[in-house]
Structure formats: C-alpha cells, structure tokens
Amino acid sequence: MIDHLSKEEILKNISCDILPENVHIFDSIDSTNSYCKKLGREDCASPILVIADRQTNGRGRLGRSFFSPMGTGIYMSVLQSTNSLAIPFSLLTVAAGTAVCAELENICNKEFKIKWVNDIFADGRKVCGILAESIIAPNNAHPSAVVVGIGINISTPDFPEEIENIAGSVNPDNVTRNEIISRVINKFLEICRKYSAQELIDRYKSHSLVLGKKISFVQNGKAYSGVATDINIDGNLIVETTHGETITLKSGEVSLGSKNFV
Ligand code: BTN
C-alpha cells in the first residue's frame, strides 16, 4: 500500500482545532520534539502538529534514543498551550497513551496495553513510546506550553540489536499512516480538552499492562519488588511491596517478568 505522509490527507480527517498552517511535515528532521521546543511558542493559541517521515535524533525518556527509520513509523509532536487543557499538564503522557491505545485497538481489533507510564505494547512487544516535555518561560514556575511526542512503529521490519527483542510494529491492514495520525490526534486533543482527570485515569487504567501484576523497580538506589495495585488521580503508580510497604511512584520505570507482557 502506498503510504506517503500527506498534509491534505491528514487534514481531511482532522476534527479538532488544528489549523492547516499549523501542520508541518518534514521528510527528515533531528527530532519533532526538539523542533517544537525550538518553536517555543508560549502563546500558541491553537495546537501545532509536527510530523516527520524519519528522525535522525529521535529522543525517548531517560536520555534514550528512539529508532525512527524512513517511511515505516509515525514520529509526531503536538505543541499546545497549557491554557487550553481541561486536564493537568502532568497527565499529558497518560492522555497520549490512552489515545494511542484506544485508536490502535479500534484500527487493529486487538488489545494494546500501556506499561506505566508511557510504553505501549501489543503482542508482548513495545510498539509506541511517548515523550512529554514542558516549555517554561523565564521567571515562571509553571509551563506555559507543552510538547507531547508520539512515536509509533507502524511497519518497521528490523530494529537495532539492543532493542530487537523488545520492539515490534503495529502492521495494520489497509490503513495509512495519515489516517492513524488524524485519529490519534483527534482522540488525544479530545481527551486534553474534554475529559476530567478521573475519566482519563479510569480509561488509562483499563489499558494498563501492570495493574495487578508483580513488578520491580529501583528508587533512590534501592531495589524493590511488589504488586502494582492502583494508579491514582495524579497518574502515579501505587505499589504494595513484598515487605508490606505502600510506595507511590511518580516517575521512573518499572520492570515486569517476561510472562507478564501479554
Ligand atoms: C520513549 O520510548 O521513551 C519515548 C519515545 C518518544 C518518541 C517520539 S517520536 C516523536 C517525538 N520526537 C522525539 O524525538 N521523540 C518523540
């Protein structure tokens, strides 16, 4: 199937308030998140969508890179003002994960699950990652704008050795990247504008890969294991450790046993 990124095709199916002049498509760019951060519009009245066919320096969380080869994935970022959000900006990663899962499930007719906080898995493999970054004006305590970057492996056939056992592709039938982009963006902005934090967290929890499962993590240099019991209204993960403590994880990464990925 011919699958060129097309602004016209994307706009055809956009139902949210993204203006045509605010959609930017690049053949190649270092990182769509970095581009948005350079734009740094603190007063962007309506969202700006930046998409690339490939990234030469795609970035992930915790200083990692995000493999972004030409023509086989969706690498996109949305820059928006915090004034336009109905949900707290700290829940944007949760909002993007929920939107991606909901839309990919409808498109592919199978389950997509979120490994707290932002990795999306299907059939035991990571198919999508999300990176949210804030733009804070000098002398301000809170961000005035936020960038949410979404990377989805659509039909990437091979991955670098270090992620070949973890990463996978969505491989949808008869759906173009243009259509997936529009659907994910529509859903993401609907959540940002219309959902309450509780509604969002309930939806997010329904896609969770970790709830009720045994997980391990490192906090302040100490290793813990326990069961993930809940995700609170702030998107934090609640863990009952094997030593009977209750720990609230605000950020970082958790590990799951390999049997738990499906
Ligand atoms: C992760 O897996 O830790 C997050 C990956 C986020 C990747 C996306 S691709 C579009 C946007 N631009 C980037 O440089 N990163 C995000």
Side-chain angles (χ1 to χ4, degrees):
M1 188 173 52
I2 298 165
D3 189 18
H4 296 304
L5 291 178
S6 152
K7 181 168 167 170
E8 205 185 343
E9 290 296 316
I10 291 167
L11 284 167
K12 241 193 236 169
N13 294 309
I14 283 281
S15 57
C16 50
D17 63 336
I18 295 197
L19 303 171
E21 61 269 31
N22 284 342
V23 177
H24 306 284
I25 299 185
F26 293 90
D27 289 340
S28 179
I29 200 171
D30 56 348
S31 150
T32 54
N33 262 40
S34 301
Y35 183 84
C36 284
K37 283 179 82 179
K38 272 181 240 147
L39 280 180
R41 305 240 187 113
E42 289 150 20
D43 57 349
C44 42
S46 76
I48 296 173
L49 173 61
V50 179
I51 307 162
D53 222 0
R54 137 178 127 124
Q55 295 182 120
T56 53
N57 188 23
R59 297 185 291 107
R61 282 175 73 235
L62 309 170
R64 295 178 186 140
S65 60
F66 188 80
F67 184 56
S68 314
M70 179 61 104
T72 65
I74 291 174
Y75 319 115
M76 62 179 175
S77 302
V78 182
L79 171 65
Q80 56 182 327
S81 158
T82 47
N83 291 333
S84 59
L85 302 173
I87 53 168
F89 71 85
S90 55
L91 288 182
L92 280 171
T93 303
V94 166
T98 305
V100 171
C101 270
E103 290 309 311
L104 290 182
E105 283 193 352
N106 286 337
I107 291 166
C108 302
N109 212 6
K110 66 176 181 187
E111 278 195 330
F112 285 80
K113 292 278 181 194
I114 311 170
K115 179 172 161 284
W116 186 88
V117 58
N118 70 331
D119 291 340
I120 295 175
F121 281 74
D123 303 320
R125 294 202 167 241
K126 175 171 166 175
V127 296
C128 169
I130 292 157
L131 177 67
E133 298 181 290
S134 308
I135 296 175
I136 306 181
N139 306 324
N140 267 11
H142 294 288
S144 45
V146 273
V147 180
V148 175
I150 301 173
I152 310 175
N153 307 322
I154 296 294
S155 56
T156 310
D158 301 302
F159 294 92
E161 207 179 328
E162 60 277 17
I163 55 167
E164 69 181 358
N165 294 323
I166 304 164
S169 288
V170 174
N171 293 315
D173 288 333
N174 296 320
V175 188
T176 62
R177 285 180 297 162
N178 296 320
E179 192 179 336
I180 299 172
I181 290 168
S182 310
R183 290 175 67 162
V184 168
I185 293 299
N186 287 339
K187 187 58 155 186
F188 173 58
L189 290 179
E190 182 197 340
I191 293 175
C192 290
R193 305 276 153 77
K194 299 200 176 134
Y195 279 38
S196 67
Q198 191 59 60
E199 220 174 332
L200 168 57
I201 292 295
D202 289 345
R203 292 281 174 100
Y204 179 83
K205 279 164 70 169
S206 73
H207 293 290
S208 175
L209 184 63
V210 299
L211 282 183
K213 295 202 177 137
K214 193 162 176 224
I215 58 157
S216 53
F217 59 95
V218 175
Q219 196 181 51
N220 301 326
K222 197 173 160 196
Y224 294 88
S225 60
V227 175
T229 55
D230 200 5
I231 293 162
N232 71 13
I233 190 80
D234 300 317
N236 302 330
L237 187 68
I238 314 295
V239 187
E240 303 292 336
T241 73
T242 39
H243 294 103
E245 281 172 274
T246 302
I247 293 189
T248 303
L249 281 178
K250 295 195 165 124
S251 61
E253 193 167 51
V254 299
S255 303
L256 276 164
S258 56
K259 279 184 279 173
N260 284 322
F261 275 94
V262 281

